[in-house]
Coordinates of all heavy atoms in Angstrom, one line a residue:
Chain B
F223 N -3.2 -22.3 -14.4 CA -4.5 -22.0 -13.7 C -4.8 -23.2 -12.8 O -5.2 -23.0 -11.6 CB -5.6 -21.8 -14.7 CG -6.8 -21.3 -14.2 CD1 -6.9 -20.0 -13.7 CD2 -7.9 -22.1 -14.0 CE1 -8.1 -19.5 -13.1 CE2 -9.1 -21.6 -13.5 CZ -9.2 -20.3 -13.0
L224 N -4.7 -24.4 -13.3 CA -5.0 -25.6 -12.5 C -4.1 -25.6 -11.2 O -4.6 -25.9 -10.1 CB -4.8 -26.9 -13.3 CG -5.9 -27.1 -14.4 CD1 -5.6 -28.3 -15.2 CD2 -7.3 -27.2 -13.7
I225 N -2.8 -25.4 -11.4 CA -1.9 -25.4 -10.3 C -2.3 -24.3 -9.3 O -2.4 -24.6 -8.1 CB -0.4 -25.2 -10.8 CG1 0.0 -26.4 -11.6 CG2 0.5 -24.9 -9.6 CD1 1.4 -26.2 -12.2
V226 N -2.5 -23.1 -9.8 CA -2.8 -22.0 -8.8 C -4.1 -22.2 -8.2 O -4.3 -21.9 -7.0 CB -2.6 -20.7 -9.5 CG1 -3.0 -19.5 -8.6 CG2 -1.2 -20.5 -9.9
A227 N -5.1 -22.7 -9.0 CA -6.5 -22.7 -8.4 C -6.8 -24.0 -7.7 O -7.7 -24.0 -6.9 CB -7.5 -22.5 -9.6
H228 N -6.1 -25.0 -8.0 CA -6.6 -26.3 -7.4 C -5.6 -27.1 -6.7 O -5.8 -28.3 -6.4 CB -7.2 -27.1 -8.6 CG -8.5 -26.6 -9.1 ND1 -9.6 -26.6 -8.4 CD2 -8.7 -25.9 -10.2 CE1 -10.6 -25.9 -9.1 NE2 -10.0 -25.5 -10.2
T229 N -4.4 -26.6 -6.4 CA -3.5 -27.4 -5.6 C -3.1 -26.7 -4.3 O -3.4 -25.5 -4.1 CB -2.1 -27.6 -6.4 OG1 -1.5 -26.4 -6.5 CG2 -2.4 -28.3 -7.7
R230 N -2.5 -27.5 -3.4 CA -2.1 -26.9 -2.1 C -1.1 -25.8 -2.3 O -1.2 -24.7 -1.7 CB -1.6 -28.0 -1.3 CG -1.5 -27.8 0.2 CD -2.9 -27.4 0.8 NE -3.8 -28.5 0.7 CZ -4.0 -29.4 1.7 NH1 -3.3 -29.3 2.8 NH2 -4.9 -30.3 1.6
V231 N -0.1 -26.1 -3.2 CA 0.9 -25.0 -3.5 C 0.2 -23.8 -4.0 O 0.6 -22.6 -3.6 CB 1.9 -25.5 -4.5 CG1 2.9 -24.5 -4.9 CG2 2.7 -26.7 -3.9
G232 N -0.8 -24.0 -4.9 CA -1.5 -22.8 -5.4 C -2.2 -22.0 -4.3 O -2.2 -20.8 -4.4
M233 N -2.8 -22.7 -3.4 CA -3.4 -22.0 -2.2 C -2.4 -21.2 -1.5 O -2.6 -20.0 -1.1 CB -4.0 -23.0 -1.3 CG -5.3 -23.7 -1.8 SD -5.8 -24.8 -0.6 CE -6.8 -26.0 -1.6
W234 N -1.2 -21.8 -1.3 CA -0.1 -21.1 -0.5 C 0.3 -19.8 -1.3 O 0.5 -18.8 -0.7 CB 1.1 -22.0 -0.3 CG 0.8 -23.1 0.7 CD1 -0.2 -23.1 1.6 CD2 1.4 -24.4 0.7 NE1 -0.2 -24.3 2.3 CE2 0.8 -25.1 1.8 CE3 2.5 -25.0 0.1 CZ2 1.2 -26.4 2.1 CZ3 2.9 -26.2 0.4 CH2 2.3 -27.0 1.4
I235 N 0.4 -20.0 -2.6 CA 0.8 -18.9 -3.5 C -0.2 -17.7 -3.4 O 0.2 -16.6 -3.1 CB 1.0 -19.3 -4.9 CG1 2.2 -20.2 -5.1 CG2 1.2 -18.1 -5.8 CD1 2.4 -20.8 -6.5
R236 N -1.5 -18.1 -3.5 CA -2.5 -17.1 -3.4 C -2.6 -16.5 -2.0 O -2.7 -15.2 -1.9 CB -3.8 -17.7 -3.8 CG -4.0 -17.7 -5.3 CD -5.4 -18.3 -5.7 NE -5.4 -19.7 -5.4 CZ -6.5 -20.3 -4.9 NH1 -7.6 -19.7 -4.8 NH2 -6.5 -21.6 -4.7
A237 N -2.5 -17.3 -1.0 CA -2.5 -16.8 0.4 C -1.3 -15.8 0.6 O -1.5 -14.7 1.1 CB -2.4 -17.9 1.4
G238 N -0.1 -16.2 0.1 CA 1.1 -15.4 0.2 C 0.9 -14.1 -0.5 O 1.3 -13.0 -0.1
A239 N 0.2 -14.2 -1.7 CA 0.1 -12.9 -2.5 C -0.9 -12.0 -1.8 O -0.8 -10.8 -2.0 CB -0.5 -13.3 -3.9
S240 N -1.8 -12.5 -1.0 CA -2.8 -11.6 -0.4 C -2.3 -11.1 0.9 O -2.5 -10.0 1.3 CB -4.1 -12.4 -0.3 OG -4.7 -12.2 0.9
D241 N -1.6 -12.0 1.7 CA -1.2 -11.5 3.0 C 0.0 -12.4 3.5 O -0.2 -13.5 4.1 CB -2.4 -11.7 4.0 CG -2.0 -11.1 5.4 OD1 -0.8 -10.9 5.7 OD2 -3.0 -10.8 6.2
R242 N 1.2 -11.9 3.1 CA 2.4 -12.7 3.2 C 2.6 -13.0 4.7 O 3.0 -14.2 5.1 CB 3.6 -11.9 2.7 CG 4.9 -12.6 2.8 CD 5.9 -11.6 2.3 NE 5.6 -10.3 2.8 CZ 6.3 -9.2 2.6 NH1 7.4 -9.3 1.9 NH2 6.0 -8.1 3.1
V243 N 2.4 -12.0 5.6 CA 2.7 -12.2 7.0 C 1.8 -13.3 7.6 O 2.3 -14.2 8.3 CB 2.6 -10.9 7.7 CG1 2.8 -11.1 9.2 CG2 3.6 -9.9 7.2
M244 N 0.6 -13.2 7.3 CA -0.4 -14.2 7.9 C -0.1 -15.6 7.3 O -0.2 -16.5 8.1 CB -1.8 -13.7 7.5 CG -2.9 -14.4 8.3 SD -2.7 -14.2 10.1 CE -3.0 -15.9 10.7
A245 N 0.2 -15.7 6.0 CA 0.5 -17.0 5.5 C 1.7 -17.6 6.2 O 1.7 -18.8 6.6 CB 0.8 -16.9 4.0
G246 N 2.7 -16.8 6.5 CA 3.9 -17.3 7.2 C 3.5 -17.7 8.6 O 3.9 -18.8 9.1
A247 N 2.6 -17.0 9.3 CA 2.3 -17.3 10.6 C 1.4 -18.6 10.7 O 1.2 -19.1 11.8 CB 1.5 -16.1 11.3
L248 N 0.9 -19.0 9.5 CA 0.2 -20.3 9.5 C 1.1 -21.4 9.0 O 0.6 -22.5 8.7 CB -1.0 -20.1 8.6 CG -2.1 -19.3 9.2 CD1 -3.2 -18.9 8.2 CD2 -2.8 -20.0 10.4
G249 N 2.4 -21.2 8.9 CA 3.3 -22.2 8.6 C 3.7 -22.3 7.2 O 4.4 -23.3 6.8
V250 N 3.3 -21.4 6.3 CA 3.7 -21.4 4.9 C 5.1 -20.8 4.8 O 5.4 -19.7 5.2 CB 2.7 -20.7 4.0 CG1 3.2 -20.7 2.6 CG2 1.3 -21.2 4.1
D251 N 6.0 -21.6 4.2 CA 7.4 -21.1 4.0 C 7.4 -20.1 2.8 O 7.7 -20.4 1.7 CB 8.3 -22.2 3.7 CG 9.8 -21.8 3.7 OD1 10.1 -20.6 3.6 OD2 10.7 -22.7 3.7
V252 N 7.1 -18.8 3.1 CA 6.9 -17.8 2.0 C 8.1 -17.6 1.2 O 8.1 -17.5 0.0 CB 6.3 -16.5 2.6 CG1 6.1 -15.5 1.5 CG2 4.9 -16.8 3.3
P253 N 9.3 -17.4 1.9 CA 10.5 -17.2 1.0 C 10.7 -18.3 0.0 O 11.1 -18.1 -1.1 CB 11.6 -17.1 2.0 CG 11.0 -16.7 3.3 CD 9.6 -17.3 3.3
L254 N 10.5 -19.6 0.4 CA 10.7 -20.7 -0.5 C 9.7 -20.6 -1.6 O 10.1 -20.7 -2.8 CB 10.6 -22.0 0.3 CG 10.7 -23.3 -0.6 CD1 12.1 -23.4 -1.1 CD2 10.3 -24.5 0.2
I255 N 8.4 -20.5 -1.2 CA 7.4 -20.3 -2.2 C 7.7 -19.2 -3.2 O 7.6 -19.4 -4.4 CB 6.0 -20.0 -1.6 CG1 5.5 -21.2 -0.7 CG2 5.0 -19.6 -2.6 CD1 4.9 -22.3 -1.5
F256 N 8.2 -18.1 -2.7 CA 8.5 -17.0 -3.5 C 9.6 -17.3 -4.5 O 9.5 -16.9 -5.7 CB 8.9 -15.8 -2.7 CG 9.2 -14.6 -3.5 CD1 8.2 -13.9 -4.2 CD2 10.5 -14.2 -3.7 CE1 8.5 -12.9 -5.0 CE2 10.8 -13.1 -4.5 CZ 9.8 -12.5 -5.2
S257 N 10.7 -18.0 -4.0 CA 11.8 -18.3 -4.9 C 11.3 -19.2 -6.1 O 11.7 -19.0 -7.2 CB 12.9 -19.0 -4.2 OG 13.5 -18.1 -3.2
I258 N 10.4 -20.1 -5.7 CA 9.8 -21.0 -6.8 C 9.0 -20.2 -7.8 O 9.2 -20.3 -9.0 CB 8.9 -22.1 -6.1 CG1 9.8 -23.0 -5.3 CG2 8.2 -22.9 -7.2 CD1 9.0 -24.0 -4.4
V259 N 8.2 -19.3 -7.2 CA 7.4 -18.4 -8.1 C 8.2 -17.6 -9.0 O 8.0 -17.4 -10.2 CB 6.4 -17.5 -7.3 CG1 5.8 -16.5 -8.1 CG2 5.3 -18.4 -6.6
F260 N 9.3 -17.0 -8.4 CA 10.2 -16.2 -9.2 C 10.8 -16.9 -10.4 O 10.8 -16.5 -11.5 CB 11.2 -15.5 -8.3 CG 11.8 -14.3 -9.0 CD1 11.4 -13.0 -8.6 CD2 12.8 -14.4 -9.9 CE1 11.9 -11.9 -9.2 CE2 13.4 -13.3 -10.5 CZ 12.9 -12.0 -10.1
A261 N 11.3 -18.1 -10.0 CA 12.0 -19.0 -11.1 C 11.0 -19.3 -12.1 O 11.2 -19.3 -13.3 CB 12.6 -20.2 -10.4
A262 N 9.8 -19.8 -11.7 CA 8.7 -20.2 -12.6 C 8.3 -19.0 -13.5 O 8.1 -19.1 -14.7 CB 7.5 -20.7 -11.9
G263 N 8.2 -17.8 -12.8 CA 7.8 -16.6 -13.6 C 8.8 -16.2 -14.6 O 8.5 -15.8 -15.8
A264 N 10.1 -16.4 -14.3 CA 11.2 -16.2 -15.2 C 11.1 -17.1 -16.4 O 11.3 -16.7 -17.6 CB 12.6 -16.3 -14.5
A265 N 10.9 -18.4 -16.1 CA 10.8 -19.4 -17.2 C 9.6 -19.0 -18.1 O 9.7 -19.1 -19.3 CB 10.6 -20.8 -16.6
L266 N 8.5 -18.6 -17.5 CA 7.3 -18.2 -18.4 C 7.6 -17.0 -19.2 O 7.2 -17.0 -20.4 CB 6.1 -18.0 -17.5 CG 5.5 -19.2 -16.8 CD1 4.3 -18.8 -15.9 CD2 5.0 -20.2 -17.8
A267 N 8.3 -16.0 -18.6 CA 8.7 -14.8 -19.4 C 9.6 -15.3 -20.6 O 9.5 -14.8 -21.7 CB 9.3 -13.8 -18.5
G268 N 10.5 -16.2 -20.2 CA 11.4 -16.7 -21.2 C 10.6 -17.4 -22.3 O 10.9 -17.3 -23.5
L269 N 9.6 -18.2 -21.9 CA 8.8 -18.9 -22.9 C 8.1 -17.9 -23.8 O 8.1 -18.1 -25.1 CB 7.8 -19.8 -22.2 CG 6.8 -20.5 -23.0 CD1 7.5 -21.6 -23.9 CD2 5.7 -21.2 -22.2
A270 N 7.5 -16.9 -23.2 CA 6.8 -15.8 -24.1 C 7.8 -15.2 -25.1 O 7.5 -15.1 -26.2 CB 6.2 -14.8 -23.2
G271 N 9.0 -15.0 -24.6 CA 10.1 -14.3 -25.4 C 10.5 -15.3 -26.6 O 10.6 -14.8 -27.7
L272 N 10.7 -16.5 -26.2 CA 11.2 -17.4 -27.3 C 10.1 -17.7 -28.3 O 10.4 -18.0 -29.5 CB 11.8 -18.7 -26.7 CG 10.9 -19.8 -26.1 CD1 10.4 -20.7 -27.1 CD2 11.7 -20.5 -25.0
M273 N 8.8 -17.6 -27.9 CA 7.8 -17.8 -28.9 C 7.6 -16.6 -29.7 O 7.2 -16.7 -30.9 CB 6.5 -18.2 -28.2 CG 6.5 -19.6 -27.5 SD 4.9 -20.3 -27.1 CE 4.2 -19.0 -26.1
A274 N 7.8 -15.4 -29.1 CA 7.7 -14.2 -29.9 C 8.9 -14.0 -30.9 O 8.7 -13.4 -31.9 CB 7.6 -13.0 -29.0
G275 N 10.0 -14.6 -30.5 CA 11.3 -14.4 -31.2 C 11.1 -14.5 -32.8 O 11.4 -13.6 -33.5
P276 N 10.6 -15.7 -33.2 CA 10.5 -15.9 -34.7 C 9.4 -15.0 -35.3 O 9.5 -14.7 -36.5 CB 10.0 -17.4 -34.8 CG 10.4 -18.0 -33.5 CD 10.3 -16.9 -32.5
I277 N 8.5 -14.5 -34.5 CA 7.4 -13.7 -35.1 C 7.9 -12.2 -35.2 O 7.7 -11.6 -36.3 CB 6.1 -13.7 -34.2 CG1 5.6 -15.1 -34.1 CG2 5.1 -12.7 -34.7 CD1 4.4 -15.3 -33.2
T278 N 8.5 -11.7 -34.1 CA 9.0 -10.3 -34.2 C 10.4 -10.3 -34.7 O 10.7 -10.7 -35.8 CB 8.8 -9.6 -32.9 OG1 9.5 -10.3 -31.9 CG2 7.4 -9.5 -32.5
A279 N 11.3 -10.1 -33.8 CA 12.8 -10.2 -34.1 C 13.5 -10.3 -32.8 O 13.1 -9.7 -31.8 CB 13.3 -8.9 -34.8
V280 N 14.6 -11.1 -32.8 CA 15.3 -11.3 -31.6 C 16.4 -10.2 -31.5 O 17.4 -10.3 -32.1 CB 16.0 -12.7 -31.6 CG1 16.7 -13.0 -30.3 CG2 14.9 -13.8 -31.8
Q281 N 16.0 -9.2 -30.7 CA 17.0 -8.1 -30.6 C 16.9 -7.4 -29.2 O 15.9 -7.6 -28.5 CB 16.7 -7.1 -31.7 CG 15.3 -6.5 -31.6 CD 15.0 -5.6 -32.8 OE1 15.8 -5.2 -33.6 NE2 13.7 -5.3 -33.0
V282 N 18.0 -6.7 -28.9 CA 18.1 -6.0 -27.7 C 17.0 -5.0 -27.6 O 16.7 -4.2 -28.5 CB 19.4 -5.3 -27.5 CG1 19.5 -4.5 -26.3 CG2 20.5 -6.4 -27.4
G283 N 16.3 -4.9 -26.4 CA 15.2 -3.9 -26.2 C 13.9 -4.5 -26.5 O 12.9 -3.8 -26.4
M284 N 13.8 -5.8 -27.0 CA 12.5 -6.3 -27.4 C 11.6 -6.5 -26.2 O 10.4 -6.6 -26.3 CB 12.7 -7.7 -28.1 CG 13.3 -8.8 -27.3 SD 13.6 -10.3 -28.2 CE 12.0 -11.1 -28.3
G285 N 12.2 -6.6 -25.0 CA 11.4 -6.9 -23.8 C 10.6 -5.7 -23.2 O 9.6 -5.9 -22.6
E286 N 11.1 -4.5 -23.4 CA 10.5 -3.4 -22.7 C 9.1 -3.0 -23.1 O 8.2 -2.8 -22.3 CB 11.4 -2.1 -22.8 CG 12.5 -2.1 -21.7 CD 13.6 -3.2 -21.9 OE1 14.4 -3.1 -22.9 OE2 13.6 -4.2 -21.1
P287 N 8.8 -3.0 -24.5 CA 7.4 -2.7 -24.8 C 6.5 -3.8 -24.3 O 5.4 -3.4 -23.8 CB 7.4 -2.8 -26.4 CG 8.8 -2.5 -26.7 CD 9.7 -3.1 -25.6
V288 N 6.9 -5.0 -24.3 CA 6.1 -6.1 -23.7 C 5.9 -6.0 -22.2 O 4.9 -6.2 -21.7 CB 6.6 -7.5 -24.1 CG1 5.8 -8.6 -23.6 CG2 6.8 -7.6 -25.6
L289 N 7.0 -5.6 -21.6 CA 7.0 -5.4 -20.1 C 5.9 -4.4 -19.8 O 5.1 -4.6 -18.9 CB 8.3 -4.8 -19.6 CG 8.2 -4.3 -18.2 CD1 8.3 -5.4 -17.2 CD2 9.3 -3.3 -17.9
I290 N 5.8 -3.3 -20.5 CA 4.8 -2.2 -20.2 C 3.4 -2.7 -20.4 O 2.5 -2.5 -19.6 CB 5.1 -0.9 -21.0 CG1 6.5 -0.4 -20.4 CG2 4.0 0.1 -20.8 CD1 7.0 0.8 -21.1

Side-chain angles (χ1 to χ4, degrees):
Chain B
F223 189 74
L224 288 178
I225 290 173
V226 172
H228 292 288
T229 67
R230 199 57 66 93
V231 176
M233 288 177 204
W234 292 337
I235 291 173
R236 277 180 291 146
S240 135
D241 187 340
R242 179 184 43 180
V243 174
M244 194 57 222
L248 288 164
V250 178
D251 187 345
V252 179
L254 177 69
I255 291 281
F256 179 73
S257 293
I258 294 170
V259 167
F260 199 96
L266 290 177
L269 177 64
L272 72 85
M273 293 199 305
I277 298 175
T278 58
V280 182
Q281 58 188 347
V282 172
M284 66 186 280
E286 276 69 69
V288 183
L289 167 82
I290 292 175

